[in-house]
Amino acid sequence: MSTHDESRPVTTPVRDISRRQFLTQAASTGAAVTIVPRHVLGRGLQAPSDTVNVAVVGVSGMGASNTRAVMSQNIVAFCDVDMALLDARIARWGQEAAPGAPSRPVARPATPGWAAWQDWGSTKAQAEANARVPAEDAAANLQKFVASSSRIRKYADYREMLAQQKDIDAVIIATPDHMHAVIASAAMDLGKHVYVQKPMAWCVSESRHLARRAAETKVQAQCGNQRHSADENRRGVDYITSGVIGDVTQVHVWTNRPIWPQGIPRPSATAAEGRGGRLSQQSLMQAAVNTTAGTPPPPSTLSWDLFLGVAPAVEYSPLYHPFNWRGWVDWGQGALGDMGAHLIDFPVWALDLDLPTTVETTSTPFNDVTFPLATMTHYDFPAKGTRPAVRLTWYDGGFMPPTPEELEGDARLVASGGILYVGTKGKLLCNEGMPTRLLPASLHNTTGAPRERLARVPHQGHEMNWIRAIKGQDTLSSPFSYAAHLHEIMLLGLVSLRARSKIHYDAANMRVTHNANANQFLTREYRTGWAL
């Protein structure tokens, strides 16, 4: 709490420190709002605590959503390796801001078959959190952004952006997965606050590095697993910590991903050939990939070498960019990397899971180039305190756990994804996009909603939670100190996949003990000219 008298003039020469230094120091003391109130600076001048200068790296996909969420702030720079996609996104924002442009209604999915379960609605804790902070006016923020967008500087190379533009306070990083760590690390080295889309890192060593650098630099570093800030997801954690389903011994987590190509070979200029007029499955797949994509030169608007970044050099193909990169081992982390940070998050949080002792992934055929069509991973976590050992099983690509016998009528596990906790006194089902429900329905209805132990994030706004933390007004929802642990768990499933074996993990030393060959997959070798 600041002790200065706001009725008296401020005598500290605020011009003696940079704006970024001001925000960093204010956030570390929690006094950003009270140090320099607007009326002290005078009419027409804006206090440094009022807005944050934000740069966005990777603007076309989730970066666009993240940008929309922080348009109340001062967007000062965009960086993207594909200028055509960047310009198209800016133009689209202009169209959305035009008078008479249709709004984008959010459709609530129908939930047939669940009449036996009562719906508790949103929580009191969420309503109270919302009341503390004014809601964002998304339409007004977009109008303001579009009106001033011509002044935003654009870059293809994040290194040039960080070197040339000194007014950046914070950086949103929403590039392909393989570049998250190097960009976030470079930004934190300069004292920039960072918001990094999930998965926060491509490998285990990068996760640990980012957590360490965030602690050393004392910046506000948030992972972009935005469901961590959602009211209903926090209610699920409240249910588990209440003990209503007893001791949890099993957790099943699933997703319908991938929704992009996986299990395919790289495009090649060489035609696939058969023997005696017959094509093997692999040859047929190679022929299909070559016909569909091939290896033409990259478009002039795409800096392909910058896209590759730390990853090995390969020829451009339209099969890789702008969306399908997630299925390729060089750049993405497949379905587990995409959705694990959302879904595995909650059992790790609710059950206070340490790092697993053993991990085993099985899959459909894996060619080491793209992730398989489907995987199943078993994580074994040791007992902790009074909690017994837990086995968590991950499913993707159409694999799903057995339907619980407690589901009545037409109630089903939703195919898109979810979490099923199995306890000694009952079960908890978190179907994606639906209210959390205890199983059976009789347990759900007689228990009622759980006591709200977890704080809620105002308006469930994950990005604005980060902005408020930068200003010293809030605590991060998913800081790197937590997110790195979550991602290490998630990424160990891919270590087992790539090693093609069950792994026994020595967490203290970040080492696989029963298969020395697997340790190479805990880290990566960067392409010449790139370093963390």
Side-chain angles (χ1 to χ4, degrees):
M1 178 71 69
S2 175
T3 58
H4 87 261
D5 183 354
E6 292 189 359
S7 66
R8 300 175 60 187
V10 174
T11 56
T12 302
V14 295
R15 293 181 181 177
D16 289 351
I17 61 173
S18 72
R19 187 177 183 284
R20 178 178 60 78
Q21 289 172 321
F22 179 94
L23 282 168
T24 301
Q25 294 170 9
S28 67
T29 61
V33 175
T34 57
I35 291 178
V36 186
R38 182 186 299 274
H39 75 265
V40 171
L41 294 179
R43 183 181 300 275
L45 296 178
Q46 189 166 52
S49 57
D50 283 350
T51 58
V52 176
N53 285 352
V54 179
V56 185
V57 186
V59 182
S60 179
M62 276 303 299
S65 176
N66 300 146
T67 303
R68 280 295 303 264
V70 299
M71 278 186 177
S72 60
Q73 305 306 297
N74 190 24
I75 312 298
V76 297
F78 282 139
C79 180
D80 202 295
V81 298
D82 193 327
M83 284 295 149
L85 290 179
L86 172 55
D87 290 340
R89 173 58 63 181
I90 294 173
R92 195 176 312 164
W93 280 322
Q95 294 167 1
E96 293 170 359
S103 60
R104 297 181 297 174
V106 178
R108 294 185 62 84
T111 56
W114 293 92
W117 281 263
Q118 293 186 44
D119 187 344
W120 311 124
S122 61
T123 66
K124 179 182 178 182
Q126 187 63 59
E128 291 173 346
N130 293 349
R132 291 196 300 270
V133 177
E136 293 290 304
D137 187 335
N141 290 341
L142 179 60
Q143 293 279 354
K144 184 194 75 168
F145 166 83
V146 169
S148 60
S149 61
S150 60
R151 63 170 174 73
I152 299 174
R153 296 177 65 180
K154 295 188 290 186
Y155 303 84
D157 191 332
Y158 74 91
R159 295 167 298 184
E160 293 181 4
M161 180 189 77
L162 292 176
Q164 295 176 16
Q165 195 154 342
K166 305 301 183 182
D167 62 342
I168 297 170
D169 301 316
V171 183
I172 292 172
I173 299 158
T175 64
D177 304 345
H178 69 297
M179 294 300 292
H180 287 180
V182 290
I183 301 173
S185 185
M188 289 191 290
D189 288 346
L190 295 173
K192 316 290 186 186
H193 307 286
V194 293
Y195 179 105
V196 182
Q197 261 304 327
K198 54 77 193 171
M200 64 181 283
W202 186 91
C203 60
V204 168
S205 62
E206 288 183 343
S207 289
R208 291 199 176 194
H209 172 84
L210 291 184
R212 183 170 60 252
R213 288 303 291 145
E216 291 167 350
T217 59
K218 295 181 172 57
V219 300
Q220 298 296 324
Q222 175 105 301
C223 177
N225 54 334
Q226 61 271 14
R227 298 185 191 189
H228 200 85
S229 293
D231 182 33
E232 193 61 46
N233 292 331
R234 292 188 171 220
R235 172 177 276 160
V237 176
D238 284 336
Y239 265 124
I240 294 300
T241 57
S242 75
V244 64
I245 66 169
D247 291 329
V248 175
T249 58
Q250 298 178 52
V251 184
H252 301 274
V253 186
W254 70 97
T255 181
N256 66 346
R257 266 54 163 197
I259 54 175
W260 49 82
Q262 289 191 181
I264 60 176
R266 286 201 190 279
S268 170
T270 303
E273 296 181 0
R275 293 184 177 181
R278 293 178 298 176
L279 283 173
S280 66
Q281 178 73 24
Q282 184 64 24
S283 296
L284 186 61
M285 191 178 297
Q286 183 71 64
V289 167
N290 293 349
T291 301
T292 302
T295 55
S300 61
T301 57
L302 171 63
S303 300
W304 180 242
D305 190 67
L306 292 178
F307 172 92
L308 292 172
V310 302
V314 299
E315 289 187 81
Y316 164 80
S317 168
L319 190 58
Y320 302 146
H321 171 77
F323 177 69
N324 295 330
W325 54 263
R326 192 177 293 281
W328 298 87
V329 173
D330 284 346
W331 312 308
Q333 292 296 3
L336 182 53
D338 181 46
M339 295 303 294
H342 286 315
L343 295 167
I344 294 176
D345 178 11
F346 298 102
V348 169
W349 190 8
L351 298 171
D352 191 19
L353 298 177
D354 291 331
L355 291 169
T357 52
T358 64
V359 183
E360 185 173 18
T361 298
T362 57
S363 74
T364 55
F366 176 41
N367 63 8
D368 296 304
V369 178
T370 50
F371 291 103
L373 292 174
T375 69
M376 181 167 63
T377 302
H378 297 296
Y379 295 92
D380 289 310
F381 297 91
K384 185 173 186 178
T386 59
R387 174 182 57 70
V390 175
R391 165 161 278 205
L392 185 152
T393 303
W394 166 267
Y395 312 79
D396 64 44
F399 290 162
M400 291 181 68
T403 300
E405 60 185 13
E406 294 88 350
L407 291 186
E408 305 173 12
D410 295 330
R412 293 288 184 271
L413 303 180
V414 300
S416 61
I419 309 166
L420 175 65
Y421 299 85
V422 179
T424 55
K425 297 179 181 178
K427 299 174 183 176
L428 182 72
L429 176 61
C430 306
N431 263 340
E432 192 170 58
M434 296 172 63
T436 299
R437 293 177 170 99
L438 294 169
L439 306 182
S442 57
L443 176 63
H444 179 84
N445 296 335
T446 57
T447 300
R451 184 164 70 87
E452 295 160 11
R453 292 171 168 82
L454 289 178
R456 289 340 193 233
V457 175
H459 310 289
Q460 305 177 77
H462 199 60
E463 294 92 343
M464 285 306 297
N465 164 260
W466 172 61
I467 293 294
R468 289 193 302 275
I470 291 171
K471 299 177 183 181
Q473 301 168 346
D474 209 343
T475 300
L476 287 176
S477 173
S478 186
F480 280 11
S481 55
Y482 168 79
H485 175 81
L486 166 65
H487 281 72
E488 184 161 344
I489 293 170
M490 181 180 74
L491 293 169
L492 287 171
L494 300 180
V495 172
S496 174
L497 170 70
R498 298 181 70 193
R500 290 179 166 78
S501 74
K502 182 176 183 177
I503 62 172
H504 297 254
Y505 193 53
D506 175 2
N509 295 298
M510 201 186 83
R511 185 171 63 94
V512 177
T513 59
H514 287 61
N515 181 354
N517 182 62
N519 285 297
Q520 65 181 304
F521 303 121
L522 297 172
T523 185
R524 83 175 303 165
E525 184 175 333
Y526 290 162
R527 192 159 61 109
T528 301
W530 297 85
L532 190 61

